[in-house]
């Protein structure tokens, strides 16, 4: 199957990556090659095989419910792109200016 | 005095313990070597000279005051730039994290510091550990000390090259599909992917969480085991950490005894696509093990040919999820925040500017494999193949103690050769991927130089979950036998060429 530039643009949009037209074109053909090469997994994987999501057989690893100190707020915020009042300052997230 | 950069970590540890040499002298010798050769090799993204010398001074003072220290205290080590280490930029070789200083230490880093080891700096890698050549670094490739026109492997090419270039006696790597073992193979060094869950992922910046495994890189088998012992063991900060005592890898590395061991050659990991030079050295290594008393048989793992396909669906799927955290909101690069653009627009612009082509390719591939309508055919099928790979290993390990194969199908390829051909690049991980999917341990050991091109070849040894000691038993036996035939360690031959 062949991925179109529009398919890749949709996927890039879902992944929140803005691609240039050049990037779109080369990405579509490269993804096709990769998908061709990996497609055989669906032939090997028979219906009666159980899927494995993880190599270790672990479920619900809990720790004691004890309060521990968090990372120092100033050190965490020191590396933020923008800060205001001990919080991360982010661009607008609503459709209209507030 | 003989150049301190030519000693093994075990020798340095003994000399430091006997106070025949100071950690400051050892550290300075390695920093001098880095200054001398790293413009050519580019193994390091950041050299932490001042703090390394300061740590060395503290260790020297504590030792001369009579304090009992860890045997490796004062020995230098290089750390792949995928591990958080406070006070050093931690970039994953990505522009999106350029200049980012982490607010905490990775468990692996903390264990190095607790042992009194001297961290020299952060080593180069493929961006976010995605690649097999270190060419995907946003800050320029690392070059193979054996031939500066060739790749040092990847993603941990910086760590492996720092060892082969005598810039560090020990290094830390991370292995998701072969990123410790394949660089070890093509640089003539030793690299181990411990059992998944045997070494903590806390503070290791995630690529594919069900596969990522921190591990040791070294120039010889004993050194690798000594470092393996420092960094492994249960960590409550990592929910997938195994709460059990790790295998005694150091004793195994000193045993060099394979008498009575059953060794299985994986039938499916040979033949077409494997270079003659690689096969020649691999076969020779297996014959040596047989001559030392191991029983060698051929074992079939019928689903291994499907492992590469399963890996290149599972890994990108996890990548697409893990790398969503690089959203320009809390840390790292932010592009286009002009008070008009929305948060989503800033995310898109930042991720386009900050992420390299291979990272984008894998995020988009993973997004596709997980999307509704394709999930069953791709991610779902890959998960089933993962089950089949685990069953193949279980069946094989019911017949033999360890499995062996070449580590990688070819020796180091020229820089640039596979950059525009993702599938050719992915083939470099053909032999290493099954152990990541199944979670068992595996290591690469030097097997000599390929007769056709004179470049290093690695032999991979794979052992069951939590049987990491078996890797070192086989590795140490092989090292003893091969070095007897070579007359010196493999890297001594490179050293002669360089002088």
């Amino acid at each position: 199957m062949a991925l179109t530039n529009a398919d890749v643009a949709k996927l890039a949009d879902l992944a929140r990556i803005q691609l240039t037209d050049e990037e779109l074109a080369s990405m579509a053909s490269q993804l096709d090659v990769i998908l061709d090469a990996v497609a055989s997994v669906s032939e090997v994987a028979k219906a009666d095989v159980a899927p494995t999501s993880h190599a270790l057989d672990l479920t619900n690893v809990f720790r004691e419910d004890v309060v521990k100190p968090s990372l120092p707020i100033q050190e965490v915020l020191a590396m933020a792109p923008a800060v205001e009042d001990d919080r991360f300052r982010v661009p607008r997230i609503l459709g209209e200016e507030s | 005095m003989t150049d301190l950069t030519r000693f093994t970590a075990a020798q340095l540890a003994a000399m430091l313990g006997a106070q025949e040499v100071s950690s400051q002298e050892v550290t300075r010798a390695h920093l001098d070597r880095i200054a001398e050769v790293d413009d050519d090799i580019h193994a390091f993204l950041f050299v932490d000279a001042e703090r390394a010398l300061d740590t060395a001074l503290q260790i020297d003072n504590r030792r001369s005051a009579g304090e009992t220290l860890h045997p490796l205290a004062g020995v230098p080590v290089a750390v792949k730039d995928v591990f958080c280490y406070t006070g050093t930029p931690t970039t994953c070789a990505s522009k999106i994290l350029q200049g980012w200083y982490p607010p905490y230490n990775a468990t692996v880093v903390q264990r190095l510091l607790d042992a009194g080891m001297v961290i020299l700096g952060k080593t180069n890698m493929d961006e976010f550990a995605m690649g097999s050549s270190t060419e995907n670094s946003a800050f320029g490739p690392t070059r193979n000390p054996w031939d500066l026109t060739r790749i040092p492997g990847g993603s941990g090419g910086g760590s492996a090259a720092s060892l082969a270039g005598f810039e560090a006696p020990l290094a830390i790597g991370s292995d998701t599909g072969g990123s410790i073992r394949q660089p070890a193979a093509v640089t003539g060094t030793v690299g181990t992917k411990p059992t998944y869950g045997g070494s903590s992922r806390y503070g290791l910046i995630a690529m594919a969480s069900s596969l990522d495994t921190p591990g040791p890189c070294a120039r010889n088998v004993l050194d690798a085991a000594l470092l393996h012992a420092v960094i492994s063991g249960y960590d409550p900060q990592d929910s997938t950490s195994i709460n059990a005592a790790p295998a005694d890898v150091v004793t195994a590395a000193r045993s060099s005894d394979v008498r009575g061991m059953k060794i299985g050659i994986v039938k499916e990991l040979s033949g077409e696509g494997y270079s003659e030079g690689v096969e020649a050295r691999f076969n020779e290594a297996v014959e040596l093990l047989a001559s030392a008393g191991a029983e060698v048989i051929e074992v079939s793992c019928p689903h291994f040919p499907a492992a590469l396909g399963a890996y290149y669906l599972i890994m990108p799927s996890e990548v697409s999820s893990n790398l969503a955290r690089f959203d320009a909101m809390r840390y790292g690069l932010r592009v286009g925040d002009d008070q008009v653009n929305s948060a989503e627009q800033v995310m898109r612009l930042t991720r386009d500017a900050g992420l390299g082509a291979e990272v984008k390719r894998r995020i988009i591939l993973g997004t596709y494999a997980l999307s509704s309508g394709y999930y069953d055919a791709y991610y779902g099928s890959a998960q089933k193949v993962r089950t089949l790979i685990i069953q193949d290993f279980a069946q094989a390990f019911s017949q033999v103690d360890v499995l062996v194969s070449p580590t990688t199908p070819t020796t180091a390829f020229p820089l640039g050769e596979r950059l525009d051909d993702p599938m050719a690049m992915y083939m470099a991980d053909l032999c290493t991927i099954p152990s990541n999917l199944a979670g068992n341990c595996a290591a690469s050991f030097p097997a000599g130089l390929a007769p056709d091109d004179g470049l290093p070849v690695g032999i991979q040894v794979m052992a069951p979950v939590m049987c990491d000691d078996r890797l070192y038993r086989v590795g140490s036996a092989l090292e003893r036998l091969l070095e007897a035939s070579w007359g010196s360690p493999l890297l001594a031959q490179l050293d002669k060429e360089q002088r």
Side-chain angles (χ1 to χ4, degrees), chain B residues 289-482:
Chain B
L289 289 169
S291 74
E295 185 189 333
V296 179
I297 62 168
E298 190 177 78
V299 173
S300 176
C301 294
H303 300 98
F304 277 22
L308 190 75
Y311 176 79
Y312 275 96
L313 290 166
I314 290 170
M315 175 273 295
S317 297
E318 295 190 24
V319 162
S320 74
S321 167
N322 271 325
L323 269 72
R325 65 169 58 88
F326 299 103
D327 57 8
M329 298 299 125
R330 293 154 299 160
Y331 39 71
L333 187 70
R334 181 183 286 182
V335 172
D337 186 7
D338 59 359
Q339 313 298 320
V340 178
N341 282 331
S342 69
E344 276 203 13
Q345 285 167 316
V346 169
M347 269 180 218
R348 287 190 176 85
L349 293 167
T350 301
R351 285 158 69 82
D352 186 42
L355 300 174
E358 178 66 14
V359 176
K360 289 175 188 165
R361 195 147 53 222
R362 294 194 190 187
I363 290 173
I364 290 173
L365 182 60
T367 304
Y368 182 63
L370 292 175
S371 59
S372 70
Y374 299 102
Y375 181 96
D376 286 342
Y378 289 118
Y379 186 65
S381 296
Q383 286 186 306
K384 290 182 176 180
V385 171
R386 193 169 186 179
T387 305
L388 297 169
I389 301 288
I390 291 171
Q391 289 171 355
D392 278 2
F393 270 117
Q395 176 67 26
F397 287 134
S398 72
Q399 303 169 61
V400 295
D401 298 306
V402 296
L403 294 167
V404 292
S405 74
T407 305
T408 185
T410 68
T411 55
F413 45 88
L415 286 158
E417 188 182 84
R418 302 190 187 180
L419 257 186
D420 297 323
D421 188 350
M423 274 321 296
M425 188 73 89
Y426 298 170
M427 295 299 275
D429 297 335
L430 200 60
C431 312
T432 47
I433 278 170
S435 294
N436 295 89
L437 290 173
N440 61 284
C441 56
S444 177
F445 303 109
L449 303 179
D452 45 348
D453 58 17
L455 292 166
V457 172
I459 175 173
Q460 177 179 228
V461 182
M462 298 163 269
V465 167
M466 290 304 266
C467 296
D468 302 50
D469 53 326
R470 292 185 197 171
L471 306 175
Y472 292 97
R473 260 182 82 186
V474 176
S476 59
L478 196 58
E479 183 178 66
R480 183 173 55 83
L481 296 161
L482 283 169

Side-chain angles (χ1 to χ4, degrees), chain A residues 42-73:
Chain A
S42 57
E43 293 155 28
V44 178
K46 302 280 190 296
D48 59 343
V49 179
T52 298
S53 61
H54 205 273
L56 295 179
D57 193 16
L58 293 171
T59 45
N60 294 346
V61 178
F62 295 118
R63 67 166 173 84
E64 292 298 306
D65 187 15
V66 178
V67 176
K68 291 184 181 177
S70 65
L71 291 169
I73 289 171

